[in-house]
Amino acid sequence: MKTIGFIGLGLMGGSIARAIRKYHKDYHLLAYDQNRETLATAVSSGIIDAVCESEDDRFSNCDYIFLCSPVEYNVKYLKYLKQIIGPDTIITDVGSVKGPIHKEIQKLNMESCFIGGHPMAGSEKSGFEASSDRLIENAYYIITPGGEVPLDKLTDFTELVSSLGAIPMVLTSEEHDFITAGVSHLPHIIASALVNLVSMLDNDQEYMKTIAAGGFRDITRIASSSPVMWEQICVENSENISNVLDDFIRLLIQIRCFIDNKDAQSLYQMFASSRDYRDSIDVTDNGLLKKLYVLYLDIADEAGGIATIATILAMDKISIKNIGIIHNREFEEGVLKIEFYDQDSMERGESLLKKRNYIIYER
């Protein structure tokens, strides 16, 4: 039996706690959260065993302590934890930017007891009430160990992550922040900038807004994410985001030159190379501007789960174009992605699955 503590029991902390309770029923879980109602709910529902204060000596007996509060609070909390934790305690976090907390860990000389974490899963909803024991299931879980963490401790933590149904991937904090700047943070900035540009260019009749659908709506959907969260991410990972923005701006200037010079061959090569690389990432999508007929839904990670859905659709003669698990869904909802050939098939499929009590997420 292990003892695991949580500082913060919102969407991510609550989901990890629920997953631990699901797969490790004998573990002892204790938690602190600023919201006392959240703690009362977590206890009454059997997710945690004990409620702690913000500074509580019981955390000293934990095998793992998950920091699941905003980054600035997690960083401040480290000073207290350094005073009380035992020699075998491992501290981890779930922040989407790793640089700031790793710098504080180095300052405090706590590298031997810290393993950073970033589950690539999330939701537009927040709070313990939105948490789920399936949130991190089949999702990549990035692990960024401190430089002096013993190998056996890293192995044990990786095995814990795997036991919860997630897919562990070990990176340095520098690798993590650079990679996420390119594939997660920059796309959100671009989507927001594009929406703001169209809003600025639109006329009083809002023709652009009226016509904007299909491809525009697909590639700007992530602009609907929380502005508070993205403000924090941009501030915390500013150097990496600025560097990838520099490269992106240079690329845009080059593309403008292609267009100004009517350089058809270079334009073709740009579109062709981007198509080929994009298709190699996800065979389900054959280009961002093409209309996609896609449903996203939650399923349990159990034998026959996908086969059951395929059978339900096949019995109504609904053809599936593609189906697969989404492993990186940090700002998405829905574990399973199903693509259909046309609108009618998608709508019929959605109706059938809802009748079977599957949770369908809108896009």
Side-chain angles (χ1 to χ4, degrees):
M1 186 183 79
K2 294 185 181 297
T3 299
I4 300 182
F6 289 86
I7 310 297
L9 209 60
L11 174 69
M12 192 56 65
S15 295
I16 293 174
R18 287 180 187 275
I20 292 173
R21 177 59 72 223
K22 176 181 178 181
Y23 292 106
H24 303 284
K25 300 185 187 303
D26 60 331
Y27 283 15
H28 185 70
L29 306 187
L30 45 89
Y32 164 74
D33 191 278
Q34 290 181 326
N35 188 322
R36 306 305 288 188
E37 291 183 8
T38 290
L39 293 172
T41 301
V43 170
S44 63
S45 58
I47 303 304
I48 64 171
D49 300 295
V51 170
C52 294
E53 300 301 320
S54 59
E55 295 187 357
D56 199 307
D57 288 343
R58 284 175 290 178
F59 284 123
S60 63
N61 297 318
C62 290
D63 295 280
Y64 297 106
I65 298 175
F66 282 82
L67 300 178
C68 304
S69 295
V71 172
E72 61 271 18
Y73 186 83
N74 288 343
V75 167
K76 292 177 184 176
Y77 210 85
L78 289 172
K79 294 177 182 178
Y80 166 70
L81 290 177
K82 182 179 179 180
Q83 302 171 35
I84 67 161
I85 60 171
D88 294 324
T89 301
I90 289 293
I91 300 170
T92 186
D93 76 321
V94 296
S96 57
V97 180
K98 310 316 305 173
I101 196 164
H102 272 277
K103 286 178 183 176
E104 190 64 21
I105 287 291
Q106 289 176 334
K107 277 187 198 175
L108 295 172
N109 195 28
M110 297 175 69
E111 286 190 284
S112 63
C113 63
F114 181 77
I115 300 176
H118 178 199
M120 302 296 287
S123 168
E124 293 176 358
K125 300 171 186 175
S126 61
F128 181 76
E129 63 276 6
S131 63
S132 165
D133 60 17
R134 284 193 251 161
L135 186 72
I136 65 171
E137 193 173 82
N138 285 312
Y140 291 121
Y141 197 119
I142 310 302
I143 295 171
T144 58
E148 299 175 13
V149 173
L151 181 59
D152 62 324
K153 294 290 186 183
L154 177 59
T155 301
D156 287 346
F157 183 71
T158 302
E159 289 176 353
L160 173 64
V161 168
S162 295
S163 74
L164 303 181
I167 304 170
M169 179 184 294
V170 179
L171 300 172
T172 66
S173 60
E174 293 82 6
E175 287 174 327
H176 170 276
D177 287 355
F178 179 73
I179 290 169
T180 54
V183 301
S184 177
H185 306 165
L186 180 63
H188 278 77
I189 292 170
I190 293 170
S192 296
L194 182 55
V195 171
N196 287 331
L197 174 65
V198 169
S199 175
M200 181 179 69
L201 297 177
D202 210 356
N203 57 21
D204 292 339
Q205 289 75 32
E206 294 189 329
Y207 289 145
M208 283 189 171
K209 183 178 181 180
T210 302
I211 295 171
F216 181 83
R217 213 173 146 74
D218 288 342
I219 64 176
T220 59
R221 177 182 51 78
I222 53 177
S224 296
S225 300
S226 165
V228 174
M229 176 181 65
W230 281 102
E231 173 217 337
Q232 293 172 349
I233 287 174
C234 287
V235 169
E236 292 161 5
N237 201 23
S238 58
E239 184 176 350
N240 281 303
I241 293 173
S242 181
N243 287 337
V244 296
L245 268 172
D246 280 342
D247 290 335
F248 183 67
I249 290 168
R250 281 192 288 270
L251 186 59
L252 285 177
I253 292 171
Q254 185 181 54
I255 294 169
R256 187 178 66 181
C257 289
F258 294 159
I259 293 171
D260 289 345
N261 295 325
K262 296 182 173 58
D263 186 346
Q265 185 172 354
S266 295
L267 288 168
Y268 174 84
Q269 185 57 44
M270 177 194 71
F271 288 119
S273 61
S274 66
R275 176 201 60 197
D276 293 343
Y277 189 76
R278 175 62 178 81
D279 290 351
S280 73
I281 296 173
D282 185 351
V283 297
T284 298
D285 296 341
N286 293 315
L288 289 170
L289 296 181
K290 183 178 178 180
K291 175 63 178 175
L292 299 178
Y293 306 102
V294 178
L295 293 181
Y296 298 81
L297 64 150
D298 276 337
I299 61 167
D301 187 8
E302 57 189 20
I306 295 178
T308 299
I309 290 174
T311 301
I312 291 171
L313 297 174
M315 288 176 65
D316 207 62
K317 294 183 171 51
I318 298 174
S319 297
I320 298 173
K321 185 175 183 181
N322 217 313
I323 188 169
I325 297 292
I326 302 174
H327 297 301
N328 179 352
R329 50 180 189 277
E330 185 183 7
F331 307 103
E332 307 280 353
E333 287 181 302
V335 175
L336 189 71
K337 180 178 183 179
I338 308 174
E339 185 181 6
F340 300 87
Y341 284 95
D342 52 53
Q343 182 81 22
D344 178 65
S345 297
M346 182 183 73
E347 291 176 354
R348 287 165 51 212
E350 180 177 9
S351 177
L352 274 174
L353 293 171
K354 281 184 175 179
K355 286 180 181 178
R356 297 295 188 100
N357 295 319
Y358 286 97
I359 299 174
I360 308 292
Y361 295 103
E362 301 293 333
R363 285 292 185 268

